[in-house]
Amino acid sequence: MDISTNYTITAGELKDKVILVTGANRGFGKAMTLDLAKAGATVIMLGRDLGSMETVYDEVVDLGYQEPVLYPLDLEGATPEHYEQLQANLFEHFGQLDGLVHNAGIIGTMMPIEQYDIKLWYSTMQINVNAPFMLTQFLIPVLNKSDDARILFLSSSVGRTARAYWGAYGVSKFAIEGLSKTLSEELEKTNIKVNSLDPKRMRTKMRQTAYPAENAEKNPLPESMSPAIVYLMSESAKSLNGEQLTLEISS
Ligand SMILES: NC(=O)c1ccc[n+]([C@@H]2O[C@H](COP(=O)([O-])OP(=O)(O)OC[C@H]3O[C@@H](n4cnc5c(N)ncnc54)[C@H](OP(=O)(O)O)[C@@H]3O)[C@@H](O)[C@H]2O)c1
């Protein structure tokens, strides 16, 4: 299902919502953090680089948007104990969670499976699949406290149609699609709606790494796509569950 990026954010439309975004310090995660805060949500910014997280925090506050919360965590090294602690912190400070956006990810390397670096395969699977699985498992009880919660998994076209040489990244996104669909069925009768989203091409570090020779200027900026994330967290998108969503690049 296509989702338009031509969404006009209304100040306060996500007031009182608490939304956790992984990889919130740069790229698409930063863009959605700004827009979600603009819409009035309190964004829990999860990331591993505190310096760039603080820079985004300052930007949000300087713009007069809802103040975010910084949550430093490296998803590669995080253990169940770290997620348990996060769950406890969310219960203590907010009592509920209304949105969980699994945005963080790494591209791994472009390589035939036959030669794929085994250590990098493990890292990619840990960050792109195992971390979202554990994070979701520990945060379901907090999401259950919301009367309208969303989980969004960032996916990719290579997680829906296999493409040679995309290796662990492509396989990890196939796994994310499976996780999203399975969860959406398990949580069908709850207030938690679960969807996956292919944002298509965006002018970020990840895209540049995957396509070093292309003219990056032709790719849309993540800020032009992120209003759609506000829509997906809003009341208007309440009926979406178990969908494979794709962002529609507006010309
Ligand atoms: N850009 C595209 O064209 C495109 C297309 C299809 C799908 N996507 C998907 O969209 C999402 C965002 O992509 P993007 O283009 O914004 O990527 P990006 O610019 O490379 O940003 C990736 C984010 O993930 C974080 N991250 C990576 N490893 C982490 C770890 N171990 N712990 C915590 N955070 C970690 C990064 O933090 P650091 O700064 O610390 O590295 C960064 O904030 C990804 O899931 C990607 O697969 C993107």
Side-chain angles (χ1 to χ4, degrees):
M1 178 189 280
D2 283 347
I3 299 294
S4 171
T5 52
N6 249 338
Y7 180 73
T8 306
I9 298 168
T10 310
E13 67 175 299
L14 295 180
K15 189 176 172 290
D16 299 330
K17 299 273 184 197
V18 181
I19 299 174
L20 190 147
V21 175
T22 66
N25 59 308
R26 62 178 170 87
F28 197 34
K30 173 186 173 182
M32 66 178 83
T33 293
L34 282 156
D35 278 346
L36 291 166
K38 183 181 182 180
T42 299
V43 181
I44 318 280
M45 297 176 55
L46 189 150
R48 62 181 167 181
D49 178 21
L50 188 58
S52 52
M53 288 162 72
E54 284 173 340
T55 305
V56 179
Y57 173 95
D58 288 344
E59 222 173 295
V60 173
V61 171
D62 288 349
L63 285 162
Y65 300 160
Q66 180 66 30
E67 186 184 359
V69 173
L70 302 184
Y71 205 92
L73 188 66
D74 183 338
L75 293 173
E76 186 168 6
T79 62
E81 289 70 30
H82 291 103
Y83 297 112
E84 197 174 12
Q85 185 62 53
L86 172 59
Q87 181 200 69
N89 288 336
L90 290 173
F91 267 129
E92 186 186 339
H93 294 287
F94 300 102
Q96 69 180 65
L97 184 67
D98 305 288
L100 172 56
V101 185
H102 293 288
N103 165 78
I106 62 167
I107 192 85
T109 185
M110 298 291 172
M111 184 83 61
I113 299 285
E114 198 179 353
Q115 285 139 26
Y116 207 92
D117 182 277
I118 291 171
K119 197 168 173 295
L120 189 53
W121 180 282
Y122 268 81
S123 293
T124 309
M125 288 304 191
Q126 188 66 15
I127 295 165
N128 294 10
V129 184
N130 298 335
F133 153 65
M134 285 190 276
L135 186 54
T136 303
Q137 186 179 75
F138 280 95
L139 296 194
I140 285 173
V142 204
L143 289 157
N144 255 326
K145 297 287 177 194
S146 168
D147 56 14
D148 179 16
R150 315 288 161 79
I151 301 177
L152 192 63
F153 291 97
L154 267 292
S155 183
S156 166
S157 58
V158 295
R160 294 177 181 171
T161 306
R163 208 177 309 157
Y165 314 125
W166 281 73
Y169 178 80
V171 173
S172 74
K173 294 300 187 184
F174 266 97
I176 278 301
E177 292 287 352
L179 177 58
S180 177
K181 194 74 186 163
T182 305
L183 203 56
S184 72
E185 296 197 5
E186 289 176 1
L187 299 178
E188 204 174 28
K189 293 193 169 57
T190 72
N191 288 326
I192 308 172
K193 303 284 184 278
V194 188
N195 297 287
S196 68
L197 176 73
D198 170 13
K200 295 222 198 115
R201 55 189 169 80
M202 290 178 293
R203 205 183 309 168
T204 65
K205 196 171 162 192
M206 182 181 282
R207 175 78 193 187
Q208 206 183 351
T209 307
Y211 295 90
E214 80 175 356
N215 174 11
E217 299 286 309
K218 72 180 176 57
N219 295 326
L221 289 166
E223 300 86 76
S224 67
M225 316 289 276
S226 49
I229 303 298
V230 174
Y231 165 74
L232 290 171
M233 294 292 132
S234 76
E235 176 82 25
S236 318
K238 199 175 179 172
S239 62
L240 299 175
N241 189 46
E243 298 283 349
Q244 290 188 311
L245 309 170
T246 303
L247 290 189
E248 193 183 79
I249 299 175
S250 47
S251 47

